[in-house]
Amino acid sequence: MLLKTTLLLTLLLVTIVLVVHFVGQSSWRSSIQLLQTELTTGAVAPRVSAYSIQELEGLPAPVQRYFQAVLADGQRLVRNARVRHSGSFNMGQVEDNWQPFRSDQLVVTNPRGFIWDASIRMVPGIQVSVVDAYVAGRGVLEAKLFGLFTVMKQPESPQLNQGELLRFFAEAAWYPTALLPSQGVEWQAVDPNRAIATLADGGTTVSLMFTFNEQGLIESVRSEHRFREINGEQVATPWKGRFWGYQEREGMLVPSAGEVAWLMPEGPKPYWRGEITDIHYGYVQ
């Protein structure tokens, strides 16, 4: 009798877990699809469809070297990109707690935005679904256990919008035509290896310090004021992204791996490390 009861309880538990998983993933996919629909609507006709080397006239020297290294004259402008990542995410607030993740990311350059749809392991056997996005000028950051139960959701705010636009801007190393002056980016010289880039989108304006290596490629990007949540408050904190492992992808030279960190008084606090497992582009016609 005891064995029969144990088997029935086990079967019931497994059934509940499977139902929660199915319902959660279905609900999560629906919410992601709604965001993707919003992201891909309202596109504005571009002024130009291809990169011309003449566009580099007047740009700071390291920026000119960068575009000459990663783009060929006549390269079609990237309209969208679909990127798959794998890597690890630091779940620890005080002590490091790196957990594996996999993600799919959709990027659209006009209107500017992205949706990062990730699955991160919290503990063995338990996954949390995370969406990090910039859609129609607003930031989105939410995590749900099994894709169903909310464990974190940042409210809409100018600080969140700024942080997500910064992410779009920093990751443009993966879709480099988005950094061209014709795409609304303003460049200011700093020294032979650095330049400041500024991008405005709606009511949000962001700037990043780009550092270029000896090959002319983007080595890192840095913001002195990206907001992070601390005890319910938004606190401006220095933030840095690094790139490496450049490879040719559809005629463009883009990094294959990167790391992102908060720059704390006691030292860097990395929280994302990943590499591209797949990337495909759609182009302006």
Side-chain angles (χ1 to χ4, degrees):
M1 183 65 179
L2 178 61
L3 178 60
K4 184 178 180 180
T5 301
T6 301
L7 289 174
L8 287 174
L9 289 175
T10 301
L11 180 60
L12 178 61
L13 180 60
V14 170
T15 301
I16 291 173
V17 170
L18 289 175
V19 169
V20 168
H21 175 78
F22 176 80
V23 173
Q25 289 305 303
S26 178
S27 174
W28 185 258
R29 293 264 60 81
S30 295
S31 64
I32 294 296
Q33 288 171 3
L34 286 174
L35 278 175
Q36 290 177 342
T37 298
E38 186 177 4
L39 177 62
T40 54
T41 57
V44 179
R47 294 180 297 169
V48 296
S49 60
Y51 157 69
S52 169
I53 197 169
Q54 295 177 350
E55 193 173 342
L56 305 186
E57 293 180 7
L59 290 179
V63 181
Q64 292 195 37
R65 288 196 300 270
Y66 167 69
F67 286 122
Q68 290 170 349
V70 303
L71 298 176
D73 192 28
Q75 167 68 46
R76 305 292 291 184
L77 300 187
V78 173
R79 179 184 289 275
N80 57 65
R82 293 186 178 272
V83 190
R84 287 187 173 179
H85 300 101
S86 66
S88 54
F89 195 91
N90 191 355
M91 306 289 285
Q93 295 297 318
V94 180
E95 297 294 329
D96 286 346
N97 178 23
W98 290 95
Q99 297 295 337
F101 79 84
R102 293 187 179 277
S103 64
D104 291 292
Q105 184 166 335
L106 171 63
V107 179
V108 175
T109 60
N110 191 2
R112 300 180 181 96
F114 71 91
I115 300 168
W116 186 66
D117 173 19
S119 178
I120 305 175
R121 189 182 73 177
M122 292 186 66
V123 296
I126 297 180
Q127 304 284 328
V128 61
S129 297
V130 178
V131 59
D132 192 19
Y134 182 77
V135 179
R138 78 179 196 281
V140 178
L141 182 55
E142 184 175 6
K144 289 189 175 184
L145 187 63
F146 304 117
L148 195 60
F149 306 105
T150 300
V151 294
M152 184 277 293
K153 182 176 182 179
Q154 284 201 11
E156 292 187 24
S157 68
Q159 293 86 357
L160 180 58
N161 297 344
Q162 180 252 27
E164 300 299 4
L165 182 57
L166 272 173
R167 173 171 175 170
F168 169 89
F169 201 17
E171 292 182 354
W174 284 320
Y175 34 97
T177 62
L179 291 171
L180 289 165
S182 63
Q183 305 308 295
V185 180
E186 297 181 359
W187 290 94
Q188 178 183 353
V190 175
D191 58 35
N193 296 309
R194 296 184 300 166
I196 294 174
T198 300
L199 177 69
D201 187 68
T204 305
T205 300
V206 295
S207 293
L208 284 170
M209 176 76 77
F210 284 73
T211 299
F212 303 90
N213 63 19
E214 293 181 355
Q215 291 74 43
L217 306 174
I218 296 173
E219 182 177 83
S220 66
V221 294
R222 175 169 175 153
S223 169
E224 298 303 321
H225 300 93
R226 184 174 182 183
F227 290 90
R228 62 193 293 259
E229 185 175 334
I230 302 177
N231 298 324
E233 295 186 4
Q234 295 291 331
V235 179
T237 308
W239 174 85
K240 184 177 183 179
R242 299 190 301 116
F243 299 102
W244 61 87
Y246 277 78
Q247 299 175 353
E248 184 178 333
R249 300 277 188 163
E250 300 184 23
M252 298 176 289
L253 203 58
V254 301
S256 63
E259 177 188 85
V260 179
W262 295 108
L263 303 180
M264 311 298 289
E266 62 272 19
K269 178 73 172 179
Y271 65 88
W272 186 97
R273 292 171 179 155
E275 62 180 18
I276 289 177
T277 59
D278 194 27
I279 186 167
H280 294 284
Y281 299 101
Y283 299 98
V284 174
Q285 300 300 317

